[in-house]
Amino acid sequence: MLKMSRLTDYGTGVLAYLAAAGEAPHSASQVAEQTGLPAATVSKILKLLTRGGLVTSHRGALGGYLLARPATEITAAEVIDALEGPLALTECSVEAGSCELEASCLVGTAWQRINLAIRRALDEISLAELANMQAGHRPRVDLRTIVASPGRMARLERG
């Protein structure tokens, strides 16, 4: 089963919040409060997103986090890359030559083609579309509904 991690799901929600929140920087604690996620989880996500070039951070009293580019210019593929690493259905599908069995493998080329097709589809979907922000629709992002169980919340708070 192809499945992204909860961290990527939550990270998409954090990005959607930043996209909807406008051009003023938002602190990690503000993002956590507004999304309903634990502060430690939001801090971890924001660090990954900053390292991935999707978010910028600004220090100081008026500092915080902002999208590095407009939501329409950030793709779903970039979000996954920043939070999960490069999309790869199998070890050999990351790039040609990355598998020691490639010369004798009968299915590797097919997996690489499938991986590429999925990548192209994700490149066509923007953060704005993921966040359903087209035509002025700006939803409030509240991830508490995803993190409803007390056990799941405790695991998130531990990082």
Side-chain angles (χ1 to χ4, degrees):
M1 168 180 8
L2 179 62
K3 186 177 178 181
M4 66 181 176
S5 70
R6 280 194 196 119
L7 194 67
T8 298
D9 196 17
Y10 301 152
T12 305
V14 166
L15 285 167
Y17 169 74
L18 289 174
E23 297 194 18
H26 295 269
S27 69
S29 61
Q30 286 174 319
V31 175
E33 182 182 318
Q34 292 300 309
T35 60
L37 290 171
T41 301
V42 169
S43 291
K44 180 178 181 177
I45 289 168
L46 288 169
K47 284 178 189 170
L48 290 169
L49 294 172
T50 301
R51 206 174 299 138
L54 302 181
V55 169
T56 59
S57 64
H58 304 274
R59 295 183 185 260
L62 299 176
Y65 295 88
L66 290 166
L67 292 182
R69 303 186 306 274
T72 55
E73 295 177 17
I74 296 173
T75 69
E78 291 176 303
V79 174
I80 291 171
D81 286 348
L83 296 167
E84 302 266 351
L87 177 69
L89 295 175
T90 63
E91 200 62 36
C92 68
S93 63
V94 177
E95 60 184 45
S98 64
C99 178
E100 61 193 43
L101 301 175
E102 189 171 341
S104 61
C105 181
L106 300 175
V107 295
T109 304
W111 283 120
Q112 289 171 352
R113 287 181 36 227
I114 292 166
N115 198 70
L116 184 59
I118 292 170
R119 177 78 190 193
R120 284 183 186 137
L122 291 170
D123 275 334
E124 292 178 10
I125 299 170
S126 71
L127 172 60
E129 291 171 291
L130 285 172
N132 194 22
M133 293 173 45
Q134 302 296 33
H137 178 66
R138 302 231 182 236
R140 181 185 184 292
V141 179
D142 188 346
L143 299 177
R144 282 177 271 255
T145 56
I146 297 172
V147 210
S149 78
R152 190 177 292 165
M153 186 62 113
R155 283 192 305 275
L156 278 172
E157 288 171 346
R158 288 192 302 267

